[in-house]
Amino acid sequence: MSAPQPPRTADVPTLLVKIFGKDRPGITAGLFDTLAAYSVDVIDIEQVVTRGRIVLCALITAPTATDPSAGELRATVHSWTESLNLQAEIISGTGDNRPRGSGRSHVTVLGNPLTAESTAAIAASITSTGGNIDRIFRLAKYPVTAVEFAVSGVETEPLRTALATAGSEIGVDVAVVSAGLHRRAQRLVVMDVDSTLIQDEVIELFAAHAGCEAEVAAVTARAMLGELDFEESLHARVALLAGLDASVVDKVRAEVRLTPGARTLIRTLKRLGYQVGVVSGGFTQVTDALQEQLGLDFASANTLEIVDGKLTGRVVGEIVDRAGKARLLRRFATEAGVPLAQTVAIGDGANDLDMLNAAGLGVAFNAKPVVRQAAHTAVNVPFLDTVLYLLGITREEVEAADGEDGRQDD
């Protein structure tokens, strides 16, 4: 059996019926009850309500010129809208909407606040690439304003490049992902731990107990900027911890502070069937506890050697460095049965770059400049759950799900 063919409307006379005014229940039903008397077909509908004002558009087949009801339809619609203190505009035309151009993307813009100036700059950048804005939709109003643009007519990569530059210049975060079914597919999200999932650098928490926090912090900062080899710097920093009593592990675990929105991000992703993992240049003594606490599917990190109840100042096993994080992302994706193109990686430091570039979407979270420049997109607000907006998930959907479970955002 051959597949059904879409209806041909290219040469069919049509009417665009636009209704606008103060919103109230029953407007949509009332319009189509009014139109039903004329046996018209509905080709397209779109409705938006903003601050209590409705804009309702219906594209319908038009009565033929010889049909005596042609003029009557217009008069009836206007009479109905006037009775409700609404306004109507009816525009004659032919056929359906203009087909969307090839190359379709979702552009998510995060602003805190989102100004008219920055919105104009983003729209102008889209236009300059040859793209067309087909639809705009607000995803969230707090803790940041998040708006999504549906764009067609330009391929994703040149659009991403243009908007990354524009976003950097005007100080807003912009993410560009290609449209398609894959956006709704089950995914794997893998994130760094230190200064991403948590607010702290774990090795500095250990160093504080050893009395060498400032020295370790200075080396950590240079390593995250890419100025030092990560493995060499790790060994040098861990050596300073030699002799610490193993009981310090429990103290450090208690000191770890989750990044605002971390629980909300993971809880929401798990509800949607995503798998979530962490990879860390830190230590399993902390990531194992986080995995249990947050219900993570995957976790991998370095392991501090402990002998006779003391830290030896060494790590054991394979080092999780820059290349190791990318390797673990690939391994987790294989174990999860998720194509690499369907993975999302989140990180802040230079040792996250290979992982961010290997993922289908690499997100630099409050990252160092070298990382922001190389990642697919950057988020520069201190709320980890804003990553949900890059995936097309709205704040209202998150809050509704939390409300059903009696939870609060965290």
Side-chain angles (χ1 to χ4, degrees):
M1 180 185 297
S2 60
Q5 297 299 309
R8 296 182 61 86
T9 58
D11 302 322
V12 175
T14 53
L15 296 175
L16 175 60
V17 181
K18 297 172 62 178
I19 307 297
F20 40 97
K22 186 177 180 180
D23 188 32
R24 73 198 73 181
I27 290 178
T28 306
L31 172 63
F32 287 98
D33 276 344
T34 302
L35 295 174
Y38 300 93
S39 302
V40 297
D41 295 333
V42 178
I43 299 173
D44 196 4
I45 311 172
E46 189 150 349
Q47 177 174 309
V48 176
V49 177
T50 304
R51 212 179 69 176
R53 310 294 291 184
I54 187 172
V55 178
L56 170 59
C57 296
L59 185 63
I60 61 172
T61 55
T64 63
T66 58
D67 189 331
S69 68
E72 182 184 335
L73 182 150
R74 290 174 179 268
T76 302
V77 170
H78 281 291
S79 176
W80 171 76
T81 55
E82 288 172 5
S83 71
L84 297 177
N85 291 319
L86 299 171
Q87 294 178 282
E89 183 179 6
I90 303 176
I91 304 170
S92 298
T94 302
D96 200 345
N97 301 312
R98 184 182 62 183
R100 295 181 66 194
S102 61
R104 300 180 185 179
S105 304
H106 297 285
V107 176
T108 306
V109 180
L110 307 179
N112 190 24
L114 181 61
T115 67
E117 181 181 8
S118 58
T119 305
I122 294 298
S125 294
I126 292 171
T127 301
S128 71
T129 65
N132 185 71
I133 299 171
D134 300 313
R135 186 168 298 158
I136 305 175
F137 177 73
R138 188 178 72 182
L139 296 167
K141 60 183 178 181
Y142 71 92
V144 299
T145 300
V147 178
E148 181 175 287
F149 295 74
V151 177
S152 63
V154 59
E155 296 302 323
T156 298
E157 284 306 319
L159 181 63
R160 178 182 288 154
T161 300
L163 291 181
T165 301
S168 177
E169 291 174 350
I170 60 179
V172 299
D173 299 333
V174 185
V176 182
V177 297
S178 60
L181 290 176
H182 62 83
R183 200 181 190 211
R184 297 177 177 85
Q186 183 183 25
R187 286 187 175 184
L188 168 69
V189 176
V190 176
M191 66 190 91
D192 175 40
V193 175
D194 293 8
S195 298
T196 300
L197 177 64
I198 66 174
Q199 300 177 58
D200 313 282
E201 291 286 336
V202 168
I203 195 166
E204 293 175 16
L205 297 179
F206 278 101
H209 292 278
C212 57
E213 182 179 8
E215 184 178 353
V216 166
V219 177
T220 298
R222 293 185 65 194
M224 293 302 99
L225 288 168
E227 297 175 358
L228 298 176
D229 177 79
F230 178 81
E231 183 172 349
E232 290 180 9
S233 72
L234 177 67
H235 287 304
R237 287 174 289 166
V238 171
L240 297 172
L241 308 181
L244 276 177
D245 191 271
S247 62
V248 76
V249 170
D250 289 333
K251 295 176 183 178
V252 167
R253 286 175 177 170
E255 292 167 351
V256 165
R257 301 166 300 161
L258 290 173
T259 297
R263 290 183 186 276
T264 300
L265 171 68
I266 294 169
R267 182 169 65 243
T268 303
L269 292 173
K270 298 290 287 181
R271 283 172 175 155
L272 293 170
Y274 286 49
Q275 297 186 62
V276 185
V278 294
V279 291
S280 177
F283 310 111
T284 57
Q285 282 84 356
V286 170
T287 58
D288 287 350
L290 289 171
Q291 182 176 18
E292 181 178 358
Q293 175 188 350
L294 299 172
L296 302 172
D297 299 283
F298 304 98
S300 188
N302 300 303
T303 299
L304 292 168
E305 184 180 59
I306 299 176
V307 176
D308 297 329
K310 302 286 185 181
L311 273 66
T312 66
R314 296 186 295 270
V315 291
V316 296
E318 188 175 11
I319 297 298
V320 179
D321 56 7
R322 176 170 169 168
K325 287 189 173 186
R327 185 167 57 251
L328 287 163
L329 171 69
R330 293 185 176 92
R331 192 187 84 190
F332 293 168
T334 298
E335 293 177 8
V338 175
L340 199 60
Q342 295 301 116
T343 62
V344 179
I346 312 168
D348 75 298
N351 64 327
D352 297 315
L353 275 173
D354 289 3
M355 175 178 73
L356 297 181
N357 289 330
L361 176 64
V363 180
F365 181 73
N366 291 308
K368 314 304 181 284
V370 66
V371 183
R372 290 200 303 269
Q373 292 167 8
H376 297 139
T377 188
V379 171
N380 295 300
V381 293
F383 310 105
L384 193 57
D385 52 340
T386 55
V387 173
L388 293 170
Y389 309 145
L390 308 184
L391 306 177
I393 301 165
T394 70
R395 171 58 63 178
E396 288 181 347
E397 291 169 328
V398 174
E399 291 178 350
D402 282 344
E404 291 172 2
D405 290 347
R407 294 181 180 271
Q408 299 293 322
D409 282 351
D410 49 15

